[in-house]
Amino acid sequence: MKNIKIAAVVAMLTLGFTSCKDEKQEKAQKTIDSYVAYVDSVKNVKADDLKENWKTVEAEYDRKSAEANLALADIKDNTAESERINTSKAKYEEFKNEVTALFAPPAPSPKQQLRNALFGEGKIGDDMSFSWVNAQNIHSVYQQFVHTVENNKDSYSREDWDEIKVLYEALDSRKNTVEKEGLTAEDNRKIAGLKIKFAPMYTVNRMGAKAEENKDAKK
């Protein structure tokens, strides 16, 4: 009789353990299903909605992905589920690349690329404002401008040189203002040296670019 009772207790414990194990596997399965479903659902969201909420989408994806990978440990034979997770991950990465390309800002125009190179990223926009140039930084601005032109003079078109001249004259105009705001004699002297270097470089290379342009036009 005692043996029967012990056997019954063992059977109940085994049944309870098995039941608990089944529940754990079922929960893990649902977690993985949720991850796979999330990836599929994101691909059906409108582009405008994605753009507005992309950070939230990414955060939710990261959370569900981490949970799904942890859930694999609770499934005894998880080969199939592991493949499902990897497939969904590949789908999401491909989709993410498409979305990133879609939301990327348009490439700056050639004119803006030239301005960025001469003065720094976004320093000079369509408003042609040089208000950020002051007595403390104007020498370094001239320095970057002239050295950049010198390094790239052989690649500029006639149109580029025309833009360079407009920008150079605008910078010179700003210098007239800055001189009254504490520009040191030393910086003024250094800027004068850069201007002497720039003038013939501009004249010679613009003439060369124009001649090359005329030559190409005749072909």
Side-chain angles (χ1 to χ4, degrees):
M1 185 70 178
K2 186 176 181 181
N3 290 337
I4 294 175
K5 288 183 178 180
I6 292 173
V9 170
V10 171
M12 289 178 64
L13 289 173
T14 302
L15 183 62
F17 177 77
T18 302
S19 176
C20 180
K21 190 174 181 181
D22 288 344
E23 286 179 9
K24 204 171 185 180
Q25 286 205 115
E26 186 178 344
K27 183 179 179 182
Q29 184 69 57
K30 288 181 178 178
T31 299
I32 294 170
D33 289 344
S34 176
Y35 166 72
V36 172
Y38 181 76
V39 172
D40 290 338
S41 67
V42 165
K43 296 182 69 175
N44 295 321
V45 178
K46 291 181 180 178
D48 289 343
D49 293 334
L50 277 176
K51 186 174 183 179
E52 187 177 344
N53 300 288
W54 183 243
K55 287 185 178 180
T56 302
V57 170
E58 283 197 297
E60 184 67 5
Y61 171 82
D62 290 341
R63 183 182 70 81
K64 286 185 175 292
S65 176
E67 289 177 349
N69 281 290
L70 286 173
L72 281 175
D74 293 330
I75 299 177
K76 186 176 180 181
D77 183 6
N78 61 19
T79 303
E81 297 310 312
S82 182
E83 287 180 2
R84 288 181 70 206
I85 288 175
N86 288 335
T87 298
S88 288
K89 180 180 180 181
K91 282 183 183 178
Y92 179 79
E93 289 301 325
E94 182 181 355
F95 178 67
K96 181 180 177 180
N97 290 336
E98 292 173 0
V99 168
T100 302
L102 183 65
F103 296 161
S109 66
K111 181 180 287 188
Q112 187 60 51
Q113 289 180 42
L114 178 62
R115 293 175 177 181
N116 290 345
L118 293 171
F119 296 104
E121 193 75 25
K123 291 286 188 180
I124 300 296
D126 292 336
D127 59 358
M128 289 285 287
S129 173
F130 281 80
S131 59
W132 55 277
V133 178
N134 53 48
Q136 287 69 46
N137 68 15
I138 192 167
H139 170 241
S140 64
V141 173
Y142 267 99
Q143 200 169 38
Q144 178 175 335
F145 182 94
V146 174
H147 288 172
T148 301
V149 171
E150 183 179 26
N151 292 337
N152 297 279
K153 62 182 185 294
D154 295 330
S155 64
Y156 290 141
S157 66
R158 180 192 58 77
E159 190 176 51
D160 290 334
W161 283 111
D162 289 345
E163 174 68 10
I164 287 169
K165 183 181 180 183
V166 169
L167 294 166
Y168 180 75
E169 290 175 347
L171 179 58
D172 268 355
S173 178
R174 178 61 181 170
K175 178 179 176 291
N176 293 335
T177 301
V178 169
E179 281 182 316
K180 305 169 187 176
E181 299 176 349
L183 180 63
T184 66
E186 177 67 12
D187 279 349
N188 210 349
R189 182 185 64 77
K190 290 178 181 177
I191 290 171
L194 290 167
K195 288 166 67 69
I196 291 172
K197 186 176 186 179
F198 173 79
M201 182 168 58
Y202 165 78
T203 302
V204 171
N205 285 280
R206 187 190 180 282
M207 287 175 62
K210 185 176 181 181
E212 191 66 29
E213 188 177 271
N214 290 337
K215 183 180 177 181
D216 291 340
K218 290 178 181 179
K219 289 181 180 180

